[in-house]
Structure formats: structure tokens, C-alpha cells
Amino acid sequence: MIPARQAINLHNAIPFWMSLLLVPVAILGATVGGWTVILLPIVTWYFFSILDAILGLNLDNADPETGEDDLTWYKAITLVWPPVQFALLFGLIWYVTGPGDAHLSALETIVLFFGVGVITGTVGINYSHELMHQKDRGERFLGDVLLSMVLYSHFRSEHLQVHHRHVGTPRDPVTARYNEGFHRFFPRVLIGSLKSAFKAEKAMLARKGLPWTDLSNPFFRYWALQGFMLLLAILIGGWAGLFLFLWQAFVAVWQLELVNYVEHYGLTRKHLGEGKYEHVKPQHSWNAAHKASNWLLINLQRHSDHHYKPDRRFPLLQNYGVDEAPQLPYGYPIMTMAAMVPPVWRRVMNPRVRQWRQMYYPEITDWLPYNKAKNPLPRGA
């Protein structure tokens, strides 16, 4: 256990600021062009994977009772990133459709904005995830701003009202099913998460006796913020600017859903009968203790503890050992790359899922309803 006085040390917080190093990499690609436009995904995926191999695991836990006032240097990076990403995204749209257009080819520009999408997804959506879970309205708004930059604002409603309540059940579209390849999962979750988010907000308003058209429905805020971002992209870069904005948004969402795919693949909660499921436990999330990728992803890989304490700040998330929760063989960067090749993914992960089933649920003999999400929906869903 790391005591609070050590956890708040600036020295311990600085590694989580490594995401800012991606900003000059993006600027380098835009201004130099050529092979440098591919640096963003290379750094995000491969550099941090190499660092994971070199630095190993971090199994230490900070004191979970550390106070809010002691986490300033950790919270600061999540507050700094939204304006940084806004300036970077729209600054690059301005540059490549204006003064930088002369030396960047169409292919270089598309590859560059693929990399921009990698960081608006890997960093931006991940930071929005941290912000949306906090009690402070200002932080939640910054989370909304980040999501609007990738046109995925409904993720907030889906994540808070559906995923956390129904993870590991047929009600949660984000829980990847056993033997379901990512290329089948991705279109399913794109449609399913939007539907489930809207349904959840509509049901919440109905419980208050209000129609979905009531202005308190957050979807109106989502649509307004997204409309603003789209309009700004057009005003700055014209139709080319709009295309580049849409392209990076798609890549960002692809990155998010790759992570969602990995986090709960094949892990299901036991159906107790009549639509009742066991409580969410540490065993229902894949975890990774790899040091460098947890710096990049602000401890997202300590996923079991996040589901246990969703509003717990990222530096206080606790690590679970192999005897408490399932562990991934590598950090998320490598695992998401593996997920893009279904035969490789199944070879690596299916034996681990079967081992997990035998370890936690030896009494279940028929897994077909779990594999196909054919169990009854949770009561009240």
C-alpha cells in the first residue's frame, strides 16, 4: 500500500502526463510530412508496448482513502487535455486545409488524421471516461466536450446507465460474447449502444412523468455540442475539414470499441433465474498491470476496481492479483492489435475464458445461452 503522502508526490504523477508527448508528434507529422505522418499510431501502440516489456508490472496500490485535495497533479492532466485536444484537432484541420496543404499529399493527410483519431480515442475518450464519472459538473461537461469531438456523446449515457448496471448480461451491448470476433462486435455495438443509451434516458424521463422530448434529456446537449464541432470543422476547413473531422472521429470510436471488446470478452455474470443475475464482481473484467500502458490509459486496465468503485479517481484504483480477477497476458495496446485478427485473438483468449469458466463456474454445464446472449434480460432492464 502506497501511503497518501507518497501517492500525492509530483514524481509519481508525472508519468501519467506522457500523453502530452503525443502532441508534438502530431505537429511533427503535419509540418514535416512523409514517413512522419505514421508516427502517432506507432508511438501509441508500439512504443508503449515496448515500454511495458521493459518496465514490467506495477502491482502497488495507493491508499484508497487519499483525499481529493491530495490528487491535484493527477486531476490536472484530465483537465488540461480537453483544451489541448481541441486546439490540436482544429489547429491541424486549419493547417492541412490552408498553409500546410502545399506540401502534404492527400494520402499523407489521411494517414495523419488516422493518427489524430488514435489519440482522440485512446487518450481523449479515455479521459472523458474519467471525467464523466466525477461529481463535479464542470468535469462532466469537459467529458461531454471530449466526446463531442468524436461524435460519440451518447457513450456517457450508455456507459453510466447501461454498461455499469448490466455488464456481463444480455442487456449490455458492450460486453463482447465468447467467440464473437471484433469485426462482428463493432457494427453490433455501434447500433446497440446508441439504442440502449437513448432507451435508458427515455426510461429515466418516463419515471419522472416526462416525454423524451423534454429539454432535460441530455441527448439535446449531445446533439448541440456535436453540431457545434461539425460546424466549426466546416468553417475552418470547408468540406475537406469536415471529412477529416469525421475520419478522425471514426478512428477514435474504433479505438474505444476495441478497448471495450477487450475489457469484458467472454466474461458473463451468472444467471440466477427469472432475469436475476449475480452482482458484478472483480472476476467480470479483464485486468492488466503493465506499467507504461497504465500510464497512457490512466489506470483503465485496473478495470475490476473501476467497476467496484466507478467514481474512484484513477490514481487510487486498486490492482487485483491473479487469484482475484482474470489477467491479460499483455497490456491493452498489444491486446487491441490482437483483437483485429480474430484467429490470433481466439488462440490467445479462448483458452483463458474456458479456464475462467472452470475456475469460477464449474457448476454451469451449458454455456450456449451465455455465448449467444440468449439468457433472459435482467429484471427492470
Side-chain angles (χ1 to χ4, degrees):
M1 181 70 68
I2 301 175
R5 64 180 179 275
Q6 184 177 344
I8 64 174
N9 194 303
L10 174 61
H11 173 75
N12 290 323
I14 284 298
F16 291 102
W17 287 66
M18 289 180 70
S19 56
L20 290 178
L21 297 177
L22 298 172
V23 175
V25 174
I27 295 172
L28 175 69
T31 54
V32 175
W35 66 271
T36 64
V37 297
I38 199 66
L39 280 176
L40 277 174
I42 287 176
V43 171
T44 307
W45 297 337
Y46 296 101
F47 174 68
F48 280 92
S49 296
I50 293 170
L51 280 183
D52 273 345
I54 295 171
L55 299 177
L57 308 180
N58 175 21
L59 306 178
D60 296 331
N61 288 320
D63 182 354
E65 301 304 318
T66 303
E68 281 278 307
D69 294 340
D70 295 326
L71 299 175
T72 301
W73 287 109
Y74 296 93
K75 291 190 293 185
I77 181 57
T78 62
L79 301 178
V80 165
W81 183 260
V84 168
Q85 179 175 304
F86 181 88
L88 178 67
L89 173 58
F90 289 103
L92 288 179
I93 289 175
W94 167 80
Y95 182 76
V96 301
T97 58
D101 188 55
H103 74 275
L104 282 181
S105 69
L107 178 60
E108 287 173 327
T109 303
I110 290 172
V111 173
L112 174 67
F113 273 78
F114 175 88
V116 172
V118 169
I119 62 173
T120 56
T122 302
V123 180
I125 297 182
N126 189 34
Y127 283 20
S128 76
H129 169 255
E130 172 77 6
L131 292 164
M132 73 171 66
H133 274 288
Q134 305 311 317
K135 296 180 176 66
D136 182 80
R137 293 181 64 182
E139 288 183 89
R140 294 200 304 271
F141 177 75
L142 287 177
D144 284 340
V145 170
L146 285 171
L147 290 176
S148 69
M149 279 188 259
V150 294
L151 303 179
Y152 220 55
S153 297
H154 66 274
F155 174 62
R156 171 174 163 175
S157 294
E158 195 284 331
H159 185 79
L160 298 179
Q161 297 192 44
V162 181
H163 179 64
H164 272 274
R165 289 180 60 197
H166 301 301
V167 62
T169 76
R171 176 68 176 86
D172 179 33
V174 177
T175 299
R177 302 161 187 170
Y178 179 74
N179 238 16
E180 179 183 30
F182 175 75
H183 304 293
R184 281 188 292 156
F185 168 84
F186 188 43
R188 179 178 69 77
V189 77
L190 285 179
I191 298 170
S193 63
L194 179 58
K195 286 183 175 179
S196 64
F198 191 85
K199 180 181 176 182
E201 293 294 354
K202 183 179 178 180
M204 180 175 288
L205 287 167
R207 288 192 290 271
K208 299 176 183 178
L210 298 172
W212 74 265
T213 53
D214 189 85
L215 291 181
S216 62
N217 187 337
F219 269 79
F220 290 109
R221 181 174 68 254
Y222 300 162
W223 293 331
L225 284 170
Q226 291 177 173
F228 170 77
M229 298 298 175
L230 289 167
L231 179 61
L232 189 58
I234 293 173
L235 290 175
I236 291 175
W239 295 114
L242 176 63
F243 168 77
L244 294 173
F245 180 87
L246 294 173
W247 171 231
Q248 67 81 32
F250 174 81
V251 174
V253 171
W254 167 67
Q255 285 285 277
L256 164 69
E257 297 304 352
L258 269 170
V259 170
N260 276 334
Y261 177 81
V262 169
E263 286 172 339
H264 302 283
Y265 174 78
L267 305 183
T268 49
R269 287 152 64 186
K270 183 178 179 179
H271 180 228
L272 304 177
E274 299 181 350
K276 185 177 181 181
Y277 289 82
E278 64 177 324
H279 291 299
V280 181
K281 298 176 182 177
Q283 69 211 41
H284 296 122
S285 301
W286 291 104
N287 295 264
H290 300 80
K291 188 176 291 185
S293 49
N294 267 322
W295 287 340
L296 176 67
L297 300 172
I298 56 173
N299 281 341
L300 181 67
Q301 299 174 142
R302 296 187 167 196
H303 207 62
S304 289
D305 199 52
H306 170 67
H307 274 272
Y308 172 60
K309 290 285 187 182
D311 61 349
R312 180 173 279 171
R313 296 277 184 182
F314 76 85
L316 305 184
L317 289 172
Q318 304 293 290
N319 181 68
Y320 286 82
V322 293
D323 57 335
E324 301 171 291
Q327 306 292 315
L328 294 168
Y330 306 102
Y332 283 8
I334 287 181
M335 296 309 297
T336 53
M337 286 188 281
M340 288 297 296
V341 188
V344 172
W345 175 261
R346 286 193 292 268
R347 190 176 306 122
V348 172
M349 291 303 297
N350 281 9
R352 287 176 166 82
V353 174
R354 292 194 293 268
Q355 183 181 23
W356 173 88
R357 289 175 170 180
Q358 185 58 39
M359 178 178 180
Y360 290 104
Y361 303 104
E363 72 279 7
I364 299 179
T365 57
D366 182 10
W367 284 97
L368 186 60
Y370 293 90
N371 294 346
K372 300 297 184 180
K374 296 299 184 182
N375 281 325
L377 291 176
R379 290 188 302 192

